[in-house]
Structures are given as C-alpha cells and as structure tokens.
Amino acid sequence: MKNILLSFGCLFIYLFSIAQPAPRPYGALPSARQLKWHETEVYGLIHFTPTTFENKEWGYGDADPKIFNPSMFDAEKIISALKAGGLKGVILVSKHHDGFALWPTKTTSYNISQSPFRNGKGDMVKEIEQACRKLGMKFGVYCSPWDRNNPRYGTSAYVEDYRNQLKELYSNYGELFMSWHDGANGGDGFYGGQRTTKKIDRSTYYGWDTTWAITRKMQPNANIFSDIGWDVRWVGNERGFAAETSWATFTPVPVEGESKTVPGQLDDKQNPFGTRNGANWVPAECDVPLRKGWFYHPEDKDKVKSPAQLFDLYLKSVGRGAALDLGIAPNTNGLLADEDIASLKGFGTLVNESFKKNLAENASITSKETRGKTFSTQYLKDGNLKTYWASSDNELTPTIEFSWKENISFDLIRLREFIPLGQRVESFKVDVFENHQWKKIAEATSIGACRIFYLQQPVSTNRVRVKINASPVCVTFSEIGFYKKAEL
Ligand code: FUL
Ligand code: CA
C-alpha cells in the first residue's frame, strides 16, 4: 500500500513537473495580424509626389503633373538601401494631401499617367511593391483622406472616391502589411480650381467604420494605423519615441465634451503611454522622418539623422515595445541622397552587429518559480519567439537567474514577454552580483513585445538576475538576452 501511494505520489510530482497547462491569457490580446506586425519592428514611410519637386511639405493640390519627372527613379535601389538599414517593411504614400495618385487610378485624372514618368504609362505603387517582394520586404500603403486637389472634397461623392482608391490599392498590389491613415482633416486647397477652405465634420464625414470594414474584408492581414488604432496607434508625436512606460493595450481618450473617438479627434496625450489594462491591443508606432521633413529638401542635406541618433530612437521605440517607422524621402532624381543611404546602412549595421551575439546562450538559467519542464528556462535563449518560459500560477514575482562560468561584459539587455498571452508584467528590475551582493542595474515597468535597456557603462559579471516586482498574474517570457553594443 505504502509503495502504491509512493508511486502515485511520484507520478503526481512527475506529471505536475512536466504537464502544467499553459498560463491563462491576460487582458486584451494581439491578433495574428498584430503578432506579425510586432516582428517587423522597423519599417519605412516613403513620401514622393509632385510636392518633392516643389520643395514643399504639403502640396496645395495645384502642381502641374508635368513636374513629376524623376528620370533616374529606381525602386530596387531605394528598397535595397532600406533593407541595408535593417528595415523589414515599406509603406508607400500612394497619395498625399496634394491628391496626386502614384498609380493610374480610375478615380481621378490627377495621377501618374499625366506625368512624364515612363511616358505616362507608369505605376509607381507597382514598381515599389515589386521591388519589395523581390527583396523580401513587407509592403503597405498610405492614402491620404484629405485631398487638396479633388473638387469633390467635402461631399459624400469624395468619400466614395477615397474608398474606391483604397479598393484599387487593396486589389492590385498583393498582400499589404499595413493600411496607414493619417488624421489630417481638411483646410485650404486647390480643390479643382475652387481655391478655398473646406472644413469637414471629423466625427462623421469619413465614415471610418465603413471604410475599415472594406480594409478588413479585402486585406485581412493589413494592420490599420491611425491615431486611434484599430490595430496600431500613433505614438502621439512625430519625433520617433514612445513613453518610457508604454503599454500595448489602449483605450483612446475622447476630447473634452465628446463621447466618441474618431481619427483626428481624440485627446492624444495618452498615446505615448497606452493604457494599462486598456480595452484593446493597439501597440504604438513611432513615426519620424530620417531627414528634417517628410519630403526631400536639398537644403536639409546636413539634417539627416546619424546612425547613432537612429540607434537612440530605436531604443526608445522598438526598445519600448513599439515600432519605428522612418520617413524616407527620395530626391527629384527619384533616388535617395548618398547621405541618406550612408546613414541607413550605418544604422542597420549597428543594430545587426549589436544584437548578433546573445551572451545568454552559454549561461545556465534557473528559476525556482518555473512552471514545469514544458516552460523551462531553456526557452528563454532559443531565439524562438513561439517558445517561452512561464512561472507557476501563484508565482507573481518570480526571479530568473543567469550565471556564467566566466565573466561576461554587456551593456544591452533585451526582454520579450510571450505576448500571445497578453501583457502581464507591471514592474521588474535587473540585478548583478557584485562584491558578494546583488546590485540593481536597471528597473522598468512595461515590457510587452520588447524592452531594451542600454546601460551607460558595460557591466562585467558572471551572475545576473531578472526579478519581477509586480504582475497581476503569472509571468511569461519568450526571450531574455544580454548583448554588447557594437562600435560604429
Ligand atoms: C501627417 C501628414 O500631415 C504629414 O505630411 C506626413 O505625411 C505624416 C507622416 O503624416 O499626418
Ligand atoms: Ca523562446
């Protein structure tokens, strides 16, 4: 009898150690579409229309299409430079506020077929899209709802035009990873010669729910970007960084006196932070131009962000669970300037070299709070986001310890929660063992898809621990790594 009990006991312990079920999800969760977006991390936003040839930031809508003559345009050259910069996707501004469509749309004659480009037979959306497919980059579009050329702007007929433009973009250019929508809401413009100011009611005019239902139907894998979401939210500034605490969940805040939020109309003070336990999973995108403006201006030659500046923005965007969307501005030849190409390459190399060698790979990793073998610490360093370590259900403040036979030196720490189960950790710290005691080297709140610390001084140690200070539920991590930043 005793033996039987003992065997049952052992069996129970054994089963418990290998077969604890996966943790229950917590809060709002990312969709499959958003999970793919999270892996993109850095991508680009190309601005190139007659506005480039006018040396302006916002075209009025009256530029003669004949000025759009980029005689050396080469999509593959541009996309290769972006790839060297470590960008994994490209969004093309297919139509900006000036209303000029870069594809031969049926909705307006103000389009590329009126320009000298490829003798009026060109389709720049297609050329960029094809170059992206060839070079293994994701592709997406931005089509400005505000249109300073269209005489119908302000009427319901224009909203139909806009939806038809999206339908063309959604049907002819393969799978899109993003459909990007800005919140610019009318103002003065050419409007087919009316040269007037048109104001629209931002809460009703565009009918975004109807428009985005089209996006969902025609491009189910496209992440909808706007200041309120639906899939990805604007971070609230155009300087390229999220708040230090930036939650992936979000409940947009209405402006005072309103009950609803619509694009272009919300209290965006909350956007950099997100909302702890927010209604939906809507991570932030940090958009910022590589040069000074979104469009190319020859006089900004020395305002191109350096690889070091870009790396800093990377830490403050990707390193805070958001994405970095870099504005790319081809010049009037239809190429990127040499200084842009050099900067992108330097940035790409810096990120790539810095995160190439994960020093956790030869660490021994232990945690008393591990949720059995299926969620073992080995999954923290296998480079696979789909495998993860987890703590047992009642372990809300677990510690994970890393030790090495010999000292290692690092100044970058990267942590990733297993986000398919939600954003769980609320506060944590990292300690190193030094002079016989633990010493705190970093502390933060939100993690989500990614949190990166860059330490002012590299630390040399053979013991590190990650300690969770607060979490409402048990904790998951798909990866934790230690790295040494590369030299420029
Ligand atoms: C804004 C626009 O007004 C700017 O011109 C630029 O396109 C930026 C990315 O989005 O809303
Ligand atoms: Ca893993």
Side-chain angles (χ1 to χ4, degrees), residues 212-375:
W212 287 342
I214 300 170
T215 314
R216 282 288 191 258
K217 186 153 177 260
M218 297 183 71
Q219 287 285 345
N221 295 322
N223 286 274
I224 296 172
F225 167 94
S226 84
D227 47 11
I228 66 160
W230 291 348
D231 297 301
V232 177
R233 74 177 192 267
W234 181 48
V235 78
N237 66 64
E238 289 188 348
R239 282 171 294 152
F241 55 83
E244 201 169 321
T245 293
S246 184
W247 306 106
T249 56
F250 186 50
T251 308
V253 182
V255 284
E256 235 187 284
E258 297 285 337
S259 57
K260 238 187 112 189
T261 53
V262 293
Q265 184 173 292
L266 82 164
D267 181 351
D268 58 27
K269 282 196 291 296
Q270 191 65 29
N271 285 46
F273 306 96
T275 318
R276 180 57 181 151
N277 300 317
N280 294 297
W281 188 274
V282 195
E285 178 204 278
C286 307
D287 60 336
V288 60
L290 172 63
R291 302 173 73 95
K292 189 169 161 237
W294 294 103
F295 282 89
Y296 178 84
H297 307 289
E299 66 272 22
D300 294 342
K301 190 176 164 62
D302 56 358
K303 306 246 171 62
V304 182
K305 293 180 182 64
S306 66
Q309 283 173 305
L310 294 172
F311 190 80
D312 183 53
L313 291 178
Y314 176 86
L315 297 174
K316 291 173 175 155
S317 54
V318 176
R320 293 175 178 174
L324 179 61
D325 183 5
L326 260 189
I328 303 295
N331 60 24
T332 50
N333 289 326
L335 296 169
L336 297 186
D338 290 343
E339 55 272 18
D340 297 36
I341 297 174
S343 199
L344 285 166
K345 184 151 201 269
F347 170 54
T349 311
L350 192 52
V351 173
N352 208 13
E353 292 294 316
S354 297
F355 292 97
K356 203 148 107 186
K357 172 106 194 80
N358 182 0
L359 297 162
E361 266 163 29
N362 56 10
S364 125
I365 316 180
T366 54
S367 171
K368 287 204 306 288
E369 291 85 4
T370 298
R371 194 184 186 89
K373 277 192 189 138
T374 351
F375 303 98

Side-chain angles (χ1 to χ4, degrees), residues 45 47 57-58 96-97 142 180 182 238 287 294:
L45 182 58
H47 283 73
E57 273 293 299
W58 276 7
H96 198 242
H97 307 329
Y142 162 10
W180 208 97
D182 83 299
E238 289 188 348
D287 60 336
W294 294 103

Side-chain angles (χ1 to χ4, degrees), residues 121-264:
K121 302 260 170 340
D123 180 345
M124 198 166 274
V125 181
K126 188 95 241 159
E127 291 194 28
I128 296 274
E129 186 246 336
Q130 293 291 299
C132 287
R133 306 284 175 215
K134 186 166 168 193
L135 293 164
M137 305 272 273
K138 299 180 188 183
F139 180 67
V141 295
Y142 162 10
C143 188
S144 167
W146 184 27
D147 188 319
R148 303 175 94 184
N149 174 267
N150 199 315
R152 288 141 71 104
Y153 185 80
T155 69
S156 58
Y158 168 74
V159 178
E160 274 318 297
D161 290 344
Y162 181 62
R163 289 187 184 141
N164 286 330
Q165 290 171 358
L166 290 176
K167 285 181 190 167
E168 290 177 0
L169 291 168
Y170 293 162
S171 4
N172 298 324
Y173 304 95
E175 183 176 295
L176 307 176
F177 87 108
M178 287 193 89
S179 189
W180 208 97
H181 304 267
D182 83 299
N185 279 303
D188 64 331
F190 179 65
Y191 304 121
Q194 296 164 12
R195 293 187 183 275
T196 179
T197 296
K198 295 197 182 187
K199 290 216 172 82
I200 50 101
D201 177 355
R202 21 181 103 197
S203 50
T204 53
Y205 179 58
Y206 291 115
W208 286 110
D209 289 357
T210 309
T211 300
W212 287 342
I214 300 170
T215 314
R216 282 288 191 258
K217 186 153 177 260
M218 297 183 71
Q219 287 285 345
N221 295 322
N223 286 274
I224 296 172
F225 167 94
S226 84
D227 47 11
I228 66 160
W230 291 348
D231 297 301
V232 177
R233 74 177 192 267
W234 181 48
V235 78
N237 66 64
E238 289 188 348
R239 282 171 294 152
F241 55 83
E244 201 169 321
T245 293
S246 184
W247 306 106
T249 56
F250 186 50
T251 308
V253 182
V255 284
E256 235 187 284
E258 297 285 337
S259 57
K260 238 187 112 189
T261 53
V262 293

Side-chain angles (χ1 to χ4, degrees), residues 81-99:
L82 302 191
K83 193 171 174 163
L87 281 65
K88 298 205 195 91
V90 171
I91 301 162
L92 176 64
V93 179
S94 306
K95 185 193 84 172
H96 198 242
H97 307 329
D98 65 331

Side-chain angles (χ1 to χ4, degrees), residues 378-389 477-480:
Q378 78 192 68
Y379 297 122
L380 290 168
K381 57 168 182 179
D382 64 355
N384 182 350
L385 294 181
K386 297 206 167 80
T387 61
Y388 62 101
W389 171 90
F477 279 110
S478 65
E479 290 288 297
I480 298 179

